[in-house]
Amino acid sequence: MKIACIGAGYVGGPTMAMVALHCPEIEVVVVDINEERIKAWNSDKLPIYEPGLLEVVKECRGRNLFFSTDTKKHVGEADIVFVSVNTPTKTTGIGAGKAADLTYWEGAARLIASVSTSSKIVVEKSTVPVKTAEAIGKVLKRNCQDPNVQFEILSNPEFLAEGTAIEDLRHPDRVLIGGSDTESGRKAIESLASVYAHWIPRERILTANLWSAELAKLTANAFLAQRISSINAISALCEATGADVQQVAHAIGTDSRIGPKFLNASVGFGGSCFQKDILNLCYVCESVGLKEVAEYWYQVVSMNDYQKQRFVERVISAMFNTVSKKKIAIFGFAFKKDTGDTRETPAVDVCKGLIRDGAKVCVYDPEVTAEQIFRDLSAPKFEWDRPNYSRSASHMLENVQVVQDADAAAEGAHAICVLTEWDAFKTYDYQAMYDKMTKPAFIFDGRNILDHAKLREIGFIVYALGKPLDAFLQKNYA
Ligand code: NAI
């Protein structure tokens, strides 16, 4: 058996590496139009940072795992073709700002059709709007010259989380495979299930109809994001009432019906999927006339935007209503720890908000390059999810500095904003930083990871998200 995967990104690369690792008899080739990315996959500096990924890749690369730009050859030869390309939010035209742009998906389907001389199973790995398989089926059928070639489309959405991708792929809660309820559909589902069964217990391999599988992915992300927005909404109320969001989260999380996960209040969710997939879900709802359902889910995104804006306003109001020309150290730019991914990171909105008020931000992140930070801070909304984004120009910005260590960021700064929960941030010598900062020195902990009592002892004015406010930060403090 030969498997090809179109799209060597955060999903295509790790998922295919895991398949190759556990299925040594299957040849797995990941193809991409981005030459630089493929070059990086073939080197020791992989294009994405993910704990444990390099070890897996090294074990099977050159054995049965290959990365190539020769899309036509490998897709043409494959029995199963995964499609894991970008499905960004549309920026223009009908549905701009919410609908999924399926340009890249359709391009991949046309390619598959044009090079196929044998029947294939085509697997939707990208997150797509419900009913995409129907459209893709038509594209495949109408563009293939050989009438004997049959395509069976499966939906196999990916539930991995960045930062823990390898662990998630090794021991997934479930694998979901959706297909047609026909003889060939059931056969295709079984072929794909038998690949996963190399390392995943059969009872964890769920099957469903195509539309349920497509919709399950959008729903899973909507529910996860909703939990974050829910606890973030409560964090605002905690600050207004003197309650502590961590105590509230603990109290509700011990209820087995609610459970403890995804209850950390923060400066907001990020990542390539949550916002995009909810907007997409809303658009699908609107398209079928379910206005109230769409509005319900929009609120999850609005609450996230509110949380980022609220954080910016806290910083500015605490610092005497002006951050103009003040140096503000930004600790962390990735959308969460253990990844170098900055897509939809709240750090972009927070930095832009502070810069709009005249601040000079000085950013440090252990995994994100200066080039990436400048590119993100100068790019228009949704632009990051295009295949050529990583090759687009990165502009220097007057009020942004990127440094190689946290001490340099804090030196002379008026404030530190913690925007990513990197473990290393917890163990810094904050006394030494305090000594070199402008006074009063502020810390705005957007992730609630620092020892706030200790920081207050040092002399910092501390804002901890969703926690009782320091007297200094209260409006009536003189
Ligand atoms: P990515 O941007 O990292 O990778 C997509 C890759 O596809 C890029 O390298 C791009 O050059 C390539 N590509 C685009 N069009 C192509 C074409 N016609 N031929 C060959 N290569 C092409 O994106 P990522 O994060 O891997 O996401 C892919 C899909 O998976 C999206 O639909 C996303 O929503 C979904 N997803 C992402 C997750 C994540 O954590 N990043 C998790 C679960 C699903």
Side-chain angles (χ1 to χ4, degrees):
M1 185 190 276
K2 175 164 177 166
I3 290 178
C5 174
I6 305 179
Y10 284 84
V11 170
T15 49
M16 290 304 114
M18 194 55 69
V19 170
L21 181 74
H22 290 284
C23 311
E25 80 284 9
I26 301 178
E27 182 188 353
V28 181
V29 186
V30 191
V31 295
D32 204 294
I33 43 176
N34 185 334
E35 280 176 30
E36 260 170 60
R37 241 186 178 176
I38 291 298
K39 217 191 252 172
W41 278 111
N42 282 318
S43 76
D44 281 350
K45 180 86 183 105
L46 302 184
I48 61 175
Y49 171 70
E50 195 61 61
L53 176 63
L54 184 61
E55 290 74 7
V56 174
V57 169
K58 275 187 163 172
E59 197 167 333
C60 34
R61 194 172 53 196
R63 179 188 77 181
N64 65 327
L65 175 65
F66 304 92
F67 296 92
S68 169
T69 49
D70 195 346
T71 317
K72 287 184 182 168
K73 170 179 158 48
H74 296 293
V75 171
E77 288 172 359
D79 306 291
I80 302 182
V81 182
F82 284 82
V83 182
S84 183
V85 299
N86 321 63
T87 47
T89 305
K90 278 183 85 173
T91 49
T92 53
I94 296 170
K98 43 194 174 179
D101 178 351
L102 292 176
T103 310
Y104 309 108
W105 224 112
E106 191 180 322
R110 285 180 190 278
L111 171 94
I112 298 169
S114 69
V115 299
S116 290
T117 50
S118 60
S119 295
K120 299 190 191 317
I121 297 172
V122 176
V123 184
E124 291 176 346
K125 201 51 155 166
S126 301
T127 304
V128 290
V130 59
K131 290 277 184 183
T132 298
E134 195 170 76
I136 294 304
K138 289 178 188 158
V139 173
L140 289 169
K141 210 170 184 174
R142 299 290 159 91
N143 286 283
C144 184
Q145 305 295 329
D146 189 336
N148 297 319
V149 170
Q150 299 293 321
F151 295 105
E152 199 58 52
I153 302 175
L154 298 179
S155 164
N156 173 219
E158 185 49 60
F159 295 103
L160 69 78
E162 286 176 33
T164 53
I166 292 301
E167 208 33 44
D168 295 344
L169 289 168
R170 222 187 276 276
H171 305 292
D173 289 341
R174 79 303 203 191
V175 164
L176 178 59
I177 305 175
S180 310
D181 192 14
T182 57
E183 200 190 326
S184 58
R186 286 189 291 273
K187 217 170 128 202
I189 291 176
E190 180 44 37
S191 294
L192 185 56
S194 69
V195 172
Y196 285 114
H198 280 72
W199 78 99
I200 296 165
R202 278 277 174 174
E203 64 275 14
R204 293 202 174 192
I205 303 174
L206 313 182
T207 58
N209 77 30
L210 268 169
W211 321 131
S212 307
E214 287 179 341
L215 188 54
K217 174 62 192 177
L218 293 182
T219 309
N221 275 352
F223 269 58
L224 291 169
Q226 182 201 42
R227 264 177 89 97
I228 299 177
S229 278
S230 297
I231 199 69
N232 282 346
I234 298 300
S235 76
L237 188 56
C238 286
E239 287 169 29
T241 56
D244 179 326
V245 75
Q246 284 181 320
Q247 293 176 0
V248 174
H250 181 66
I252 64 166
T254 45
D255 184 327
S256 59
R257 293 167 302 176
I258 297 175
K261 293 185 180 166
F262 261 68
L263 284 180
N264 284 332
S266 72
V267 61
F269 60 72
S272 64
C273 298
F274 283 175
Q275 174 170 300
K276 160 174 90 73
D277 293 349
I278 295 176
L279 292 174
N280 183 347
L281 179 69
C282 294
Y283 187 69
V284 172
C285 292
E286 282 173 4
S287 315
V288 294
L290 300 174
K291 187 171 149 276
E292 286 77 5
V293 183
E295 275 169 9
Y296 174 79
W297 288 108
Y298 269 132
Q299 206 50 37
V300 173
V301 176
S302 305
M303 183 52 62
N304 198 47
D305 289 338
Y306 166 74
Q307 188 74 346
K308 292 181 272 189
Q309 182 57 27
R310 199 169 79 74
F311 187 85
V312 171
E313 285 169 16
R314 271 279 179 232
V315 174
I316 296 172
S317 71
M319 296 171 75
F320 322 110
N321 284 319
T322 176
V323 288
S324 179
K325 300 200 169 51
K326 290 180 181 169
K327 178 179 177 183
I328 299 185
I330 303 293
F331 282 12
F333 200 81
F335 84 94
K336 66 172 175 179
K337 74 171 181 177
D338 294 337
T339 175
D341 193 356
T342 59
R343 298 178 293 178
E344 282 301 329
T345 175
V348 165
D349 286 332
V350 171
C351 287
K352 282 184 176 173
L354 294 172
I355 292 166
R356 263 197 299 274
D357 256 65
K360 294 187 171 299
V361 300
C362 185
V363 187
Y364 166 67
D365 187 287
E367 282 298 330
V368 185
T369 61
E371 194 192 4
Q372 184 68 44
I373 292 168
F374 283 115
R375 186 181 295 120
D376 289 339
L377 288 176
S378 44
K381 205 166 166 58
F382 300 126
E383 211 40 53
W384 50 268
D385 204 4
R386 314 276 148 180
N388 54 5
Y389 178 63
S390 63
R391 285 166 285 168
S392 64
S394 171
H395 302 285
M396 295 298 283
L397 295 164
E398 206 184 315
N399 287 333
V400 181
Q401 203 192 342
V402 179
V403 289
Q404 295 309 310
D405 67 84
D407 289 319
E411 188 163 356
H414 290 252
I416 295 170
C417 294
V418 178
L419 300 186
T420 311
E421 72 279 25
W422 285 104
D423 288 335
F425 295 169
K426 298 178 193 170
T427 54
Y428 287 157
D429 181 351
Y430 283 97
Q431 178 70 60
M433 285 187 189
Y434 178 81
D435 293 342
K436 291 187 178 169
M437 287 175 68
T438 305
K439 309 297 178 314
F442 295 83
I443 285 198
F444 300 90
D445 187 353
R447 297 284 181 168
N448 282 337
I449 55 165
L450 304 183
D451 181 343
H452 303 134
K454 198 164 160 202
L455 293 170
R456 289 188 178 105
E457 241 171 63
I458 292 172
F460 280 106
I461 293 159
V462 179
Y463 164 73
L465 203 138
K467 295 191 156 249
L469 293 177
D470 278 16
F472 194 96
L473 299 176
Q474 289 170 17
K475 280 208 170 79
N476 52 2
Y477 183 74

